[in-house]
């Protein structure tokens, strides 16, 4: 079966958010109240699922934007209990976004990758928190991993990681410096979120590491498209299919859809160069509101693909859901 055929087989049935299980609900109803940004670590040897998620409030609320991130545990993948959390003030940040949790090399605890707005320059960055225990992460021990300066970008966030042999592959959304006009540079970070400024594009980049601490930035892995995904193309998870890989990514066509992205599919054979197979339109959307369905992460459980994602509800808020897909 060709790579494209594998991707088409996997994507034959889109994510049905209405038939999905609601895992977590936002603290309040209405636009701007979200719980999502999931990343999932399945540990069958321990009989548990570990989930990271982010809570957001509308701009102008008591504690606006991405104010709280958590690690939760479950023995069935459905019912989660919080075991650790952090609030943005602990990082002196205006906002946090996606976190990603992976086992440390050689079984030496865990590595929690965090993305947040750097208070020093209002640009998104990624750090890592090491811990021997999954509930023991200390923000005071944060180690810098990727920043605007180290990647030659205008900011980098939303990490997702997988291990291939001895190497860790990190995919991260970045704000392109090459498509930012000099005249827009001053206002790009004025409100500490270049993604909402509409001044540049936001592809996915790749960084690799052997120790999970020191990463080599390899540049763009998935570029933006020409239509519905021409503003952002953010790879959010990868599913291995017999030597080939299918990725799920978030796309948007302008800053007006920032925070309300929809989902497409991409493929690769080498994990370095990705190509969209959804050039004409998204693969999966919510039937409600803006149609947002984003930040999908997938784990293989008993041969099926369990996809956790954030999606729009009828009242404009976002919740966190799970759908089970066949692994074709």
């Amino acid at each position: 079966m060709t790579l494209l055929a594998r991707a088409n087989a996997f994507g034959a049935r889109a994510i049905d958010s209405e038939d999905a299980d609601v895992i977590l609900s936002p603290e309040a109803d209405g636009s701007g109240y979200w719980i999502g940004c999931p990343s999932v670590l399945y540990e069958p040897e321990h009989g548990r699922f570990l989930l990271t998620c982010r809570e957001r409030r509308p701009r102008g609320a008591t504690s606006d934007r991405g104010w709280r991130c958590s690690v939760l545990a479950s023995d069935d993948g459905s019912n989660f209990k919080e075991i650790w959390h952090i609030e943005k003030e602990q990082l002196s940040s205006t906002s946090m976004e996606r976190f990603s949790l992976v086992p440390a090399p050689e079984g030496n605890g865990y590595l929690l990758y965090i993305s947040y707005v750097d208070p020093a320059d209002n640009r998104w960055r990624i750090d890592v928190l090491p811990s021997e225990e999954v509930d023991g992460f200390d923000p005071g021990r944060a180690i810098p991993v990727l920043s605007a300066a180290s990647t030659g970008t205008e900011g980098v966030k939303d990490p997702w990681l997988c291990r291939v042999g001895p190497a860790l592959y990190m995919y991260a959304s970045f704000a392109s410096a090459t498509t930012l006009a000099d005249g827009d540079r001053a206002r790009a970070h004025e409100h500490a979120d270049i993604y909402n400024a509409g001044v540049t594009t936001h592809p996915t980049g790749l960084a690799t590491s052997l120790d999970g601490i020191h990463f080599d930035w390899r540049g763009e892995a998935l570029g933006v498209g020409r239509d519905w995904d021409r503003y952002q193309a953010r790879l959010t998870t990868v599913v291995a299919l017999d030597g080939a890989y299918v990725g799920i990514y978030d796309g948007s066509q302008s800053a007006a859809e920032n925070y309300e992205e929809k989902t497409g599919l991409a493929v690769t054979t080498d994990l370095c160069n990705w190509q969209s197979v959804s050039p004409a339109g998204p693969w999966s959307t919510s039937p409600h509101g803006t149609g947002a369905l984003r930040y999908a992460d997938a784990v293989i459980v008993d041969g099926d693909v369990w996809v956790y994602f954030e999606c729009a509800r009828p009242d404009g808020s976002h919740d966190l859901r799970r759908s089970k897909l066949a692994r074709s």
Side-chain angles (χ1 to χ4, degrees):
M1 185 182 294
T2 67
L3 177 59
L4 182 58
R6 292 182 196 278
N8 288 337
F10 175 80
R13 184 165 69 94
I15 296 171
D16 183 353
S17 61
E18 294 299 276
D19 191 44
D21 300 312
V22 176
I23 302 300
L24 296 170
S25 298
E27 63 174 335
D29 298 335
S31 180
Y33 285 102
W34 309 331
I35 189 165
C37 275
S39 77
V40 185
L41 174 60
Y42 176 43
E43 296 185 311
E45 68 276 15
H46 297 307
R48 69 181 179 185
F49 298 76
L50 297 171
L51 170 73
T52 70
C53 71
R54 190 276 306 257
E55 295 177 69
R56 188 186 189 278
R57 292 169 175 163
R59 291 177 183 268
T62 303
S63 181
D64 60 359
R65 296 180 63 190
W67 72 280
R68 192 175 192 272
C69 289
S70 308
V71 177
L72 305 95
S74 169
D75 59 6
D76 62 5
S78 298
N79 301 289
F80 285 86
K81 181 179 180 180
E82 183 180 297
I83 58 175
W84 179 89
H85 77 272
I86 187 174
E87 296 184 11
K88 65 179 184 177
E89 288 78 12
Q90 293 172 258
L91 300 170
S92 301
S93 180
T94 57
S95 189
M96 302 179 295
E97 203 138 347
R98 196 185 202 187
F99 285 17
S100 188
L101 177 67
V102 299
E106 301 179 359
N108 297 320
Y110 295 87
L111 298 172
L112 180 64
Y113 296 87
I114 65 174
S115 63
Y116 64 100
V117 176
D118 190 335
D121 63 4
N122 277 355
R123 288 165 168 79
W124 287 97
R125 64 174 298 131
I126 297 170
D127 290 356
V128 64
L129 306 181
S131 176
E132 293 183 2
E133 304 297 334
V134 76
D135 59 355
F137 299 105
D138 179 1
R141 296 180 60 199
I143 301 170
V145 172
L146 297 178
S147 66
S150 71
T151 58
T153 69
E154 291 295 325
V156 59
K157 68 182 182 80
D158 298 332
W160 185 88
L161 294 96
C162 63
R163 183 171 294 281
V164 181
L168 271 174
Y169 284 63
M170 178 196 289
Y171 298 101
S173 175
F174 69 92
S176 174
T178 59
T179 55
L180 176 64
D182 288 340
D184 291 328
R185 197 169 302 275
R187 67 184 184 90
H189 305 285
E190 181 180 1
H191 299 291
D193 190 3
I194 190 174
Y195 284 74
N196 206 40
V199 294
T200 190
T201 57
H202 304 279
T204 296
L206 170 64
T208 57
S209 173
L210 293 177
D211 62 6
I213 304 295
H214 305 92
F215 281 82
D216 293 323
W217 179 250
R218 297 179 177 271
E220 184 177 289
L222 173 66
V224 296
R226 297 181 178 180
D227 189 36
W228 70 280
D229 54 358
R230 63 178 178 266
Y231 183 70
Q232 177 162 213
R234 174 176 56 209
L235 193 69
T236 62
T237 193
V238 177
V239 180
L241 298 174
D242 300 324
Y245 302 92
V246 174
I248 301 176
Y249 75 95
D250 294 341
S252 60
Q253 60 181 337
S254 71
E257 293 182 342
N258 190 44
Y259 314 134
E260 304 289 346
E261 296 87 0
K262 302 172 180 68
T263 296
L265 293 179
V267 293
T268 187
T269 56
D270 61 8
L271 290 173
C272 297
N273 302 285
W274 288 84
Q275 179 180 353
S276 172
V277 293
S278 305
W283 168 56
S284 296
T285 63
S286 166
H288 303 298
T290 61
L293 195 159
R294 63 186 201 147
Y295 283 116
D297 196 6
V299 292
I300 308 300
V301 182
D302 297 328
D304 290 332
V305 183
W306 291 17
V307 183
Y308 294 78
F309 57 93
E310 176 186 323
C311 71
R313 305 196 310 182
D315 62 13
S317 63
H318 292 185
D319 61 17
L320 199 162
R321 303 189 180 197
R322 181 199 60 196
S323 183
K324 298 180 181 181
L325 305 178
R327 187 184 185 189
S328 300

